């Protein structure tokens, strides 16, 4: 009985210490407020409006979410900060601004926060924290959601934003320079892309009957590339652009001795794309409806190649991946699934970036953008 009492007392004390330690976890980034003129540009570039739910991860004194609802008419704002002093300040500022009914502030770790309802996420953290946060943004935010970051991008190892050489980076869709009271600031803007990787099929009705098209799309964040096979010929797509769920690309071929360019554009909704194709040149010129369907795919399983294997599984509705080396299983934190496409970094120090498309029981892709990579489902 005595030992049971002692055990209970010991467990409760341990729990209390754990809770205290969790509360005392130091912030990953010190508090530095974003100047109001930069806040305005961040909310302007994301086009915050009445349908938006704006989350500021590491909200400081709450100024971004308060401005989002007060000055930009956002539906709601949620600020998250690990520091209780910041949360007190935020609540006080919301009260002064008269917006307490439309904002809330949560004292918690931003990595533990459920952000699935956000349509806009604002950040002023650090490059390494942005990189750590990146898989969570892709896991939890819906395609078309916007992300904006003050001063720091999502390309830890890139030399300057937009560098195409940096294959592990999530390059911004827009970069703005904003003059602050003391210095120039940079604002980076991204749109969460739909997952479009995979094999897509459609047919186009022509005067000579139906023409079948098979397109294999590869994806790295919002960058898309691929090839289309039709009539036994394979051609690369050009001008591919993916903004949220809006996909466009072009295909140029010689048909009957004439150069024909087809400009496809459509909205991705799961495994269907609905849109139009604008055929320029040739005898079938004109605009018509375009519907493409993606082949079924299954990412779940253990995938093996000469250099190793990964296990992809579904946990609590989310896909996770682990690297298996002999008996050792190591979770892969930088893992993304874009439709039938996978992308992960195995060793960030060595920059081993794997990217490929699941076709049946095979993944076909590249390591570091150059070396061919093929894995088989076990
Ligand atoms: C540079 S300030 C930015 C404040 C505000 N977003 C702005 O732009 O004015 C970073 C904030 O992140 C908070 N922070 C740092 N690590 C955090 C974590 N793991 N979870 C939640 N908040 C965190 C800090 O307490 C600090 O208030």
């Amino acid at each position: 009985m005595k030992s049971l009492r002692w055990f209970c007392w010991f467990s409760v004390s341990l729990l209390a210490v754990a809770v205290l330690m969790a509360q005392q976890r130091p912030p990953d980034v010190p508090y530095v407020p974003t100047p109001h003129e930069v806040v305005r540009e961040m909310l302007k570039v994301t086009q915050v409006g009445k349908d938006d739910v704006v989350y500021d991860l590491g909200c400081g004194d709450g100024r971004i979410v308060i401005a989002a609802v007060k000055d930009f008419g956002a539906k709601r704002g949620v600020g998250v900060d690990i520091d209780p002093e910041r949360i007190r300040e935020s609540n006080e500022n919301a009260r002064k601004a008269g917006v307490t009914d439309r904002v809330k502030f949560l004292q918690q770790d931003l990595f533990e926060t459920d952000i699935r309802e956000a349509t806009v996420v604002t950040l002023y953290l650090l490059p390494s924290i942005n990189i750590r946060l990146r898989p969570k943004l892709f896991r939890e935010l819906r395609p078309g959601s916007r992300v904006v970051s003050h001063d720091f991008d999502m390309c830890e190892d890139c030399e300057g934003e937009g560098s195409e050489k940096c294959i592990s980076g999530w390059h911004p869709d827009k970069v703005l320079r904003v003059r602050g009271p003391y210095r120039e600031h940079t604002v980076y803007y991204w749109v969460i892309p739909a997952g479009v990787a995979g094999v897509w099929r459609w047919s186009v009705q022509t005067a000579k009957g139906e023409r079948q098209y098979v397109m294999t799309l590869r994806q790295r964040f919002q960058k898309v590339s691929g090839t289309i096979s039709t009539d036994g010929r394979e051609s690369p797509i050009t001008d591919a652009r993916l903004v949220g769920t809006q996909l466009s690309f072009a295909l140029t071929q010689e048909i009957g001795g004439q150069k024909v360019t087809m400009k496809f554009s459509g909205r991705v909704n799961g495994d269907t794309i609905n849109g139009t194709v604008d055929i320029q040149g040739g005898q079938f010129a004109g605009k018509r409806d375009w519907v493409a369907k993606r082949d079924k795919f299954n990412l779940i399983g253990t995938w093996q190649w000469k250099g190793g294997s990964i296990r992809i599984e579904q946990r609590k509705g989310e896909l996770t991946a682990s690297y298996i080396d002999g008996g050792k299983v190591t979770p892969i934190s930088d893992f993304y699934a874009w439709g039938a496409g996978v992308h992960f970094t195995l060793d960030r120090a060595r920059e081993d970036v794997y990217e490929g498309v699941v076709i049946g029981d095979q993944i076909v892709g590249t390591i570091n953008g150059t070396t061919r990579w093929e894995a088989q489902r076990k």
Side-chain angles (χ1 to χ4, degrees):
M1 189 65 198
K2 204 171 165 189
S3 65
L4 182 68
R5 217 177 300 139
W6 187 87
F7 176 75
C8 288
W9 176 85
F10 180 73
S11 307
V12 168
S13 314
L14 210 63
L15 195 68
V17 169
V19 168
L20 213 65
M21 276 173 68
Q23 282 176 346
Q24 285 173 351
R25 172 175 163 344
D28 294 298
V29 181
Y31 173 53
V32 181
T34 297
H36 291 287
E37 42 277 75
V38 181
V39 170
R40 213 167 29 250
E41 291 308 316
M42 290 169 78
L43 298 174
K44 231 161 96 184
V45 71
T46 42
Q47 299 189 332
V48 166
K50 64 179 178 36
D51 296 326
D52 283 315
V53 177
V54 179
Y55 270 58
D56 185 19
L57 302 182
C59 65
D61 66 0
R63 61 181 62 197
I64 296 182
V65 293
I66 292 172
V69 298
K70 193 163 189 254
D71 306 334
F72 287 78
K75 185 156 72 177
R76 278 183 308 107
V78 179
V80 178
D81 209 292
I82 206 162
D83 183 342
E85 186 51 36
R86 300 281 87 82
I87 297 297
R88 263 194 295 279
E89 232 169 55
S90 294
N91 281 321
E92 180 58 22
N93 289 339
R95 197 186 53 75
K96 283 188 198 148
V99 294
T100 49
D101 56 334
R102 285 191 291 150
V103 296
K104 73 176 172 192
F105 294 100
L106 309 171
Q107 188 209 326
Q108 52 184 245
D109 186 342
L110 61 92
F111 288 103
E112 306 292 324
T113 303
D114 183 338
I115 57 168
R116 274 174 288 199
E117 66 158 353
T119 57
V120 172
V121 169
T122 63
L123 309 168
Y124 184 22
L125 299 166
L126 281 173
S128 59
I129 305 297
N130 280 2
I131 298 286
R132 247 174 77 198
L133 194 61
R134 206 169 61 174
K136 180 178 171 70
L137 297 175
F138 276 88
R139 265 197 319 268
E140 296 188 20
L141 297 178
R142 278 156 292 174
S145 307
R146 294 92 80 205
V147 177
V148 64
S149 168
H150 175 192
D151 269 349
F152 303 113
D153 64 12
M154 300 267 181
C155 314
E156 198 173 27
D157 311 308
C158 301
E159 295 152 21
E161 71 272 356
S163 157
E164 286 305 312
K165 279 195 214 123
C166 168
I167 56 158
S168 62
W170 181 20
H171 300 290
D173 292 295
K174 273 187 202 160
V175 180
L176 314 176
R177 312 274 176 215
V178 185
R179 188 79 236 153
Y182 308 109
R183 65 174 175 94
E184 187 174 69
H185 300 251
T186 307
V187 170
Y188 297 93
Y189 167 81
W190 299 263
V191 181
I192 297 284
V196 299
V199 178
W200 296 86
R201 294 171 199 267
W202 67 89
S203 58
V204 173
Q205 192 67 40
T206 70
K208 287 194 179 155
E210 243 179 28
R211 226 184 149 91
Q212 307 291 331
Y213 292 80
V214 181
M215 171 171 75
T216 304
L217 282 188
R218 294 169 59 174
Q219 180 170 2
R220 182 161 40 90
F221 300 99
Q222 76 277 51
K223 303 267 187 252
V224 173
S225 61
T227 53
I228 293 182
S229 296
T230 180
D231 262 359
R233 278 184 292 169
E234 191 176 76
S235 317
I237 59 165
T238 56
D239 305 324
R241 193 169 141 77
L242 177 63
V243 182
T245 56
Q246 212 53 47
L247 175 71
S248 57
F249 57 87
L251 171 70
T252 302
Q253 283 186 316
E254 197 142 300
I255 302 178
Q258 283 181 300
K259 188 177 152 195
V260 177
T261 299
M262 296 185 177
K263 294 191 169 175
F264 294 89
S265 67
R267 193 167 169 273
V268 183
N269 184 3
D271 293 330
T272 305
I273 306 173
N274 281 291
T276 54
V277 50
D278 185 3
I279 305 176
Q280 299 172 352
Q283 57 187 125
F284 312 121
K287 239 183 189 177
R288 48 202 83 166
D289 289 343
W290 167 54
V291 180
K293 296 270 181 202
R294 179 163 43 196
D295 282 3
K296 294 230 169 318
F297 59 89
N298 178 15
L299 306 186
I300 309 289
T302 300
W303 300 89
Q304 206 167 27
W305 66 99
K306 244 196 264 153
S309 58
I310 61 160
R311 182 160 64 220
I312 303 177
E313 52 199 324
Q314 186 120 32
R315 278 200 200 147
K316 293 186 194 156
E318 281 171 5
L319 286 175
T320 61
S322 326
Y323 181 63
I324 304 167
D325 186 10
K328 202 169 150 216
V329 179
T330 315
I332 302 173
S333 55
D334 199 40
F335 171 80
Y336 308 88
W338 291 309
V342 292
H343 179 143
F344 55 92
T345 312
L346 269 194
D347 182 344
R348 188 164 295 129
R350 280 177 30 201
E351 270 287 280
D352 275 349
V353 179
Y354 290 69
E355 161 276 317
V357 180
V358 171
I359 301 174
D361 287 329
Q362 208 180 23
I363 303 179
V364 181
T366 61
I367 306 172
N368 296 334
T370 49
T371 311
R372 194 173 161 82
W373 172 54
E374 275 180 23
Q376 304 288 335
R377 200 194 308 262
K378 245 186 9 188

